[in-house]
Amino acid sequence: IYTLSLHDALPISIVTAWAFAVVEKAVRRVVPATLDLFLVPVTTLLIGAVLAVFVIMPISALFMKGLTWLLVDFALKTGGVVGGFIMSSLFLPMVMLGIHQGLTPLHAQLITDHGFTELLPILAMAGAGQVGMAVAVWVRTRNDRLRGVLKSALPIGVLGIGEPLIYGVSLPLVRPFITACLGAGFGGAVIALGVQADPFGAGALGLSGLLMIPLITAGHWLWYVVGWLVAVIAGAVLTYFFGYREADVERVYGLWRSEERRVGKECRS
């Protein structure tokens, strides 16, 4: 006997759709063309429904329970500060690949069970590490093209939308991406420390960055703010001293404007 929450519907729907497509292709290979219009839909529906009810749904339920145990019971409750550091450090690569959306059913399940998701504030520190990285790059660089990207990407990064900073700044430069991940880890460790002391989390989904502050439950918003600031400072310090190289900026964005004028004068002379 297994129990299945409505919040497991997303992974179940994805896997079921894939299974139906596979079944349909297999059925079309053996069904004569004259009977294709009638037999293929009926057979696909029958076989797919059996697979969904007796195979996919039980496995999905076990998968969600296992994922909850791994991230909450093991990584957070047992791993504590170290677990928070690791989870928040690895979240930026997940955002880069777009697979972070796969955690949405887990967050929804935690909100249903506990009234909040303790994972979301920890993972949100990835965006704070990006903000710190961007601040450090802004201070170090004189490249007008890079500064133009930062002007548009940094404000929305503060609000929790990190993709422009990832694809426009940190990932092309490589080293700032690594230092942003490490900076996020320190913020995640602070949040994990607070969660261990007195459990709290985000009571709803959809917001990140500083916009998540009103969503923090049980009046623990100060823990979140401190963790966010720690991630920003750590990301900035690590990027300023270890993540920024002018050669990387020139490789991606070219020479900055005054340097271009100087090189142009030397070429003309």
Side-chain angles (χ1 to χ4, degrees), residues 97-185:
L97 297 173
I99 60 178
H100 64 296
Q101 299 293 350
L103 296 177
T104 300
L106 177 59
H107 293 310
Q109 184 64 54
L110 290 173
I111 292 174
T112 300
D113 294 341
H114 307 156
F116 55 82
T117 167
E118 50 267 76
L119 290 179
L120 195 55
I122 294 175
L123 301 179
M125 295 301 104
Q130 283 270 103
V131 170
M133 173 278 302
V135 171
V137 171
W138 176 272
V139 173
R140 290 289 306 270
T141 191
R142 294 295 179 268
N143 188 288
D144 295 311
R145 295 189 184 97
L146 178 53
R147 279 178 168 257
V149 174
L150 288 169
K151 283 181 181 179
S152 59
L154 182 54
I156 61 175
V158 173
L159 301 179
I161 303 173
E163 284 83 356
L165 284 175
I166 293 177
Y167 299 115
V169 181
S170 63
L171 193 58
L173 298 178
V174 182
R175 288 176 181 239
F177 183 79
I178 298 174
T179 53
C181 291
L182 295 175

Side-chain angles (χ1 to χ4, degrees), residues 10-264:
L10 178 60
I12 291 175
S13 300
I14 294 173
V15 177
T16 301
W18 171 81
F20 268 70
V22 172
V23 170
E24 182 185 5
K25 289 181 180 179
V27 172
R28 286 188 184 278
R29 294 193 190 101
V30 298
V31 172
T34 54
L35 301 175
D36 181 278
L37 185 62
F38 173 74
L39 283 183
V40 171
V42 173
T43 307
T44 301
L45 181 60
L46 291 175
I47 297 175
V50 170
L51 288 175
V53 173
F54 295 103
V55 179
I56 296 174
M57 291 176 66
I59 292 177
S60 296
L62 292 175
F63 173 76
M64 292 302 297
K65 289 181 180 178
L67 188 61
T68 301
W69 174 85
L70 177 65
L71 295 179
V72 178
D73 297 331
F74 179 74
L76 184 55
K77 293 182 180 178
T78 303
V81 173
V82 176
F85 183 93
I86 294 174
M87 285 192 291
S88 53
S89 295
L90 296 178
F91 192 63
L92 272 182
M94 294 179 66
V95 175
M96 177 189 71
L97 297 173
I99 60 178
H100 64 296
Q101 299 293 350
L103 296 177
T104 300
L106 177 59
H107 293 310
Q109 184 64 54
L110 290 173
I111 292 174
T112 300
D113 294 341
H114 307 156
F116 55 82
T117 167
E118 50 267 76
L119 290 179
L120 195 55
I122 294 175
L123 301 179
M125 295 301 104
Q130 283 270 103
V131 170
M133 173 278 302
V135 171
V137 171
W138 176 272
V139 173
R140 290 289 306 270
T141 191
R142 294 295 179 268
N143 188 288
D144 295 311
R145 295 189 184 97
L146 178 53
R147 279 178 168 257
V149 174
L150 288 169
K151 283 181 181 179
S152 59
L154 182 54
I156 61 175
V158 173
L159 301 179
I161 303 173
E163 284 83 356
L165 284 175
I166 293 177
Y167 299 115
V169 181
S170 63
L171 193 58
L173 298 178
V174 182
R175 288 176 181 239
F177 183 79
I178 298 174
T179 53
C181 291
L182 295 175
F186 288 99
V190 172
I191 301 294
L193 182 64
V195 170
Q196 278 196 318
D198 188 10
F200 68 92
L205 302 176
L207 299 178
S208 189
L210 292 182
L211 293 179
M212 190 183 289
I213 293 176
L215 303 182
I216 301 301
T217 59
H220 290 84
W221 59 270
L222 187 58
W223 272 107
Y224 181 80
V225 172
V226 171
W228 193 88
L229 291 174
V230 167
V232 170
I233 294 171
V237 171
L238 290 172
T239 303
Y240 187 91
F241 289 105
F242 306 107
Y244 182 86
R245 289 200 317 174
E246 194 63 43
D248 293 332
V249 175
E250 292 180 3
R251 171 179 56 83
V252 177
Y253 295 97
L255 297 174
W256 46 293
R257 190 167 298 168
S258 59
E259 184 68 10
E260 285 179 339
R261 288 196 293 265
R262 185 186 65 81
V263 173

